[in-house]
Amino acid sequence: MDHPRSHNPNASHQSAYKRERGDGWRNHNENKHLKPNHHQQRQSGSAPEPNPHGSQSLSTRKELYERDFPVYKQPVEVGSFSLDGERRFFNDARQMRYYEEPERSPNFDLRDGYKDRFIKRDDSVKEKLDHILRWIIANRTKCSPSATTASSRALDADIVTWRGHLTKLLTTPYETREGWLLAATMFKGTLYISEVETEAYRRDRENRTARHEEMMYWGYKFEQYTCADTVHSLPDPSGVVNTNEAFCTVVQTRLADHRLLFSGEVDCRDKDPNAPAAPACYVELKTSAEICTPKQRSNFHRFKLLKWWAQSFLPGVPRVIAGFRDHEGVVVSLETFHISKISHLIKNEFNCWKPTVCMNFCCDFLSFAKHVVTEDNPSVVYLFSWDPHRDVTYSIHRDSPYSFLPRWYIEEMTSSRDPHQS
């Protein structure tokens, strides 16, 4: 479950990661998706500088991205980290959990423990990229350019971000309700991208109904019913659900010309000792309302499966196990969705989402961001803004509250110490 691979509809899961870039991909100097931006965005707290790049914006119209599937290399796990019950960072896998196959008729009560065995993470605290940055500092030799490569870069990556931010980009061409703000800053040749909470989301977060708050708990409770702390133990649903705890994978991959280093939360892994190496052994867990009518199934395919696919495809997680619940929060059935087969599930839906559109838009946004973000300075933030049915626009902010790379990270990465010498 993610709380804040590119897929050709006619190709297998593995081949999706190896497609060569088609002729439809253009350099952004020629990209017809870019337009003059006549409505420069202004954000509170910092007056944006004039736009020096011809005030360009990026279209999100779906039809512009229906072209050959871009290269997406098989994601490789380069590390992992854990966050404990107090949200403290550990450079290890202590929070890894193991999936235990439940009975076919599970009858899990997801409401159990909500009133008396629940420690909820404070989601008003914005962690930005801090946990990923701590992992980078602890593992510099894993993500630095090789000692034989002449490079001014501190990292062997073009982009550093959270998986969840990339998921938002993948789903943008089909999103009709929620906009986003993504802050980008260039530091030592690498582009860091961190989400900024929109005013609309802040209002929604602060005004959630009691029912909504409880339903958010249900997904975590489902994990407690199906995950064991060790490979030899069983799940213990009588314990406390603490949403501060997390296990995160860190993966490297490449989307067309973009070398990516990103992290995402992982629910659990396969218990089988013969399971493939990470990330292919990981399992994503989800809950969803029971599907009782053709209309409900169509909506499930069109909306929920899009987000499930995008979230798992990016880090190379091969399957989602869903618990379908009734209105009272009792899981009555389970279903496994193989990420490689989701495109076949949706192929008969009229005007449904297309994986190639998702990946091409993400690829083009990253190209747009690289084109726009030219000043290598962690105190300068380029704030990309998008609302449904609009183009992506941006504004530039210097020494503003939007700056998100912490001083401790900047100082450590600026030090002259060679990470290849220990």
Side-chain angles (χ1 to χ4, degrees):
M1 193 162 59
D2 191 27
H3 304 288
R5 349 202 214 87
S6 243
H7 197 85
N8 176 349
N10 301 312
S12 71
H13 178 68
Q14 291 298 320
S15 64
Y17 291 98
K18 300 173 184 176
R19 278 293 291 277
E20 288 306 311
R21 188 179 79 199
D23 294 336
W25 193 91
R26 306 178 189 83
N27 182 287
H28 265 272
N29 292 328
E30 315 170 343
N31 199 329
K32 298 177 183 177
H33 309 172
L34 299 178
K35 303 176 181 179
N37 174 9
H38 300 300
H39 46 278
Q40 177 77 16
Q41 300 288 318
R42 287 186 174 272
Q43 305 299 330
S44 62
S46 170
E49 295 183 6
N51 185 327
H53 295 285
S55 297
Q56 289 178 321
S57 61
L58 180 69
S59 175
T60 60
R61 287 166 47 211
K62 298 184 286 290
E63 61 270 22
L64 296 176
Y65 301 96
E66 293 190 20
R67 58 178 190 265
D68 286 351
F69 200 85
V71 170
Y72 192 58
K73 301 297 266 187
Q74 184 78 34
V76 174
E77 183 177 78
V78 292
S80 61
F81 60 86
S82 296
L83 305 176
D84 73 0
E86 297 178 3
R87 211 65 184 168
R88 292 177 300 190
F89 172 92
F90 292 90
N91 185 38
D92 57 38
R94 67 182 64 191
Q95 293 291 345
M96 168 71 79
R97 296 177 300 175
Y98 298 83
Y99 179 68
E100 180 72 23
E101 185 79 30
E103 297 177 3
R104 282 295 112 189
S105 300
N107 201 38
F108 296 150
D109 181 1
L110 301 180
R111 299 166 301 176
D112 177 56
Y114 179 65
K115 300 292 187 184
D116 60 339
R117 303 194 313 279
F118 178 32
I119 299 173
K120 183 178 182 293
R121 177 189 162 202
D122 183 356
D123 55 9
S124 69
V125 176
K126 303 308 172 189
E127 297 170 328
K128 304 175 184 177
L129 299 185
D130 287 8
H131 296 310
I132 306 173
L133 303 182
R134 288 189 177 92
W135 181 89
I136 289 172
I137 286 178
N139 298 273
R140 285 187 67 179
T141 56
K142 293 183 178 180
C143 46
S144 298
S146 66
T148 59
T149 301
S151 174
S152 60
R153 291 176 180 267
L155 302 179
D156 187 25
D158 300 327
I159 312 284
V160 170
T161 192
W162 283 107
R163 179 265 311 274
H165 303 351
L166 296 174
T167 300
K168 279 188 186 292
L169 291 173
L170 261 66
T171 59
T172 291
Y174 299 99
E175 179 60 53
T176 59
R177 294 190 297 179
E178 296 181 357
W180 46 252
L181 291 170
L182 292 174
T185 197
M186 181 77 75
F187 176 54
K188 297 185 78 67
T190 294
L191 189 63
Y192 296 79
I193 299 176
S194 180
E195 187 173 19
V196 175
E197 185 175 51
T198 64
E199 282 300 305
Y201 187 86
R202 181 191 61 79
R203 287 193 301 269
D204 288 347
R205 174 174 57 78
E206 293 176 350
N207 294 285
R208 289 174 187 146
T209 65
R211 169 77 173 178
H212 187 182
E213 289 281 1
E214 182 176 2
M215 290 177 69
M216 292 176 68
Y217 166 82
W218 290 355
Y220 294 102
K221 185 64 182 183
F222 179 60
E223 295 176 24
Q224 192 184 54
Y225 276 113
T226 54
C227 294
D229 289 339
T230 70
V231 70
H232 299 297
S233 63
L234 294 173
D236 179 15
S238 68
V240 173
V241 170
N242 185 337
T243 60
N244 289 293
E245 298 173 348
F247 170 78
C248 296
T249 181
V250 182
V251 301
Q252 280 186 328
T253 183
R254 180 168 63 86
L255 171 58
D257 297 330
H258 311 300
R259 292 174 299 162
L260 308 178
L261 178 70
F262 62 87
S263 179
E265 187 173 343
V266 171
D267 292 332
C268 56
R269 62 158 294 153
D270 196 319
K271 265 190 172 185
D272 186 349
N274 297 317
C281 61
Y282 292 146
V283 179
E284 180 71 23
L285 300 174
K286 296 290 187 184
T287 60
S288 190
E290 261 188 300
I291 296 173
C292 302
T293 69
K295 178 63 173 175
Q296 289 172 343
R297 181 159 294 278
S298 178
N299 285 339
F300 174 76
H301 286 166
R302 294 167 63 84
F303 303 112
K304 191 151 284 190
L305 278 188
L306 165 59
K307 294 186 177 180
W308 291 6
W309 170 83
Q311 180 184 344
S312 291
F313 183 78
L314 282 164
V317 175
R319 59 183 169 138
V320 174
I321 297 176
F324 287 94
R325 52 167 177 78
D326 63 19
H327 185 71
E328 301 303 316
V330 176
V331 173
V332 294
S333 66
L334 297 174
E335 187 171 350
T336 298
F337 295 89
H338 295 279
I339 298 303
S340 63
K341 298 178 181 177
I342 284 180
S343 61
H344 298 288
L345 281 178
I346 65 171
K347 66 181 180 181
N348 293 325
E349 294 286 349
F350 175 72
N351 200 27
C352 200
W353 59 275
K354 297 178 180 178
T356 186
V357 169
C358 299
M359 293 299 285
N360 279 319
F361 174 76
C362 182
C363 185
D364 280 17
F365 173 83
L366 297 178
S367 295
F368 178 54
K370 283 182 177 179
H371 173 73
V372 164
V373 181
T374 54
E375 185 169 354
D376 195 307
N377 183 343
S379 70
V380 178
V381 169
Y382 297 73
L383 189 66
F384 293 87
S385 174
W386 176 76
D387 287 305
H389 313 297
R390 303 293 294 270
D391 293 345
V392 178
T393 58
Y394 71 94
S395 52
I396 306 171
H397 305 260
R398 188 178 300 273
D399 299 315
S400 77
Y402 295 118
S403 297
F404 59 88
L405 289 185
R407 182 176 298 277
W408 51 261
Y409 180 75
I410 294 168
E411 290 176 351
E412 174 67 22
M413 298 303 286
T414 308
S415 70
S416 59
R417 179 174 59 87
D418 184 350
H420 295 282
Q421 295 178 356
S422 56

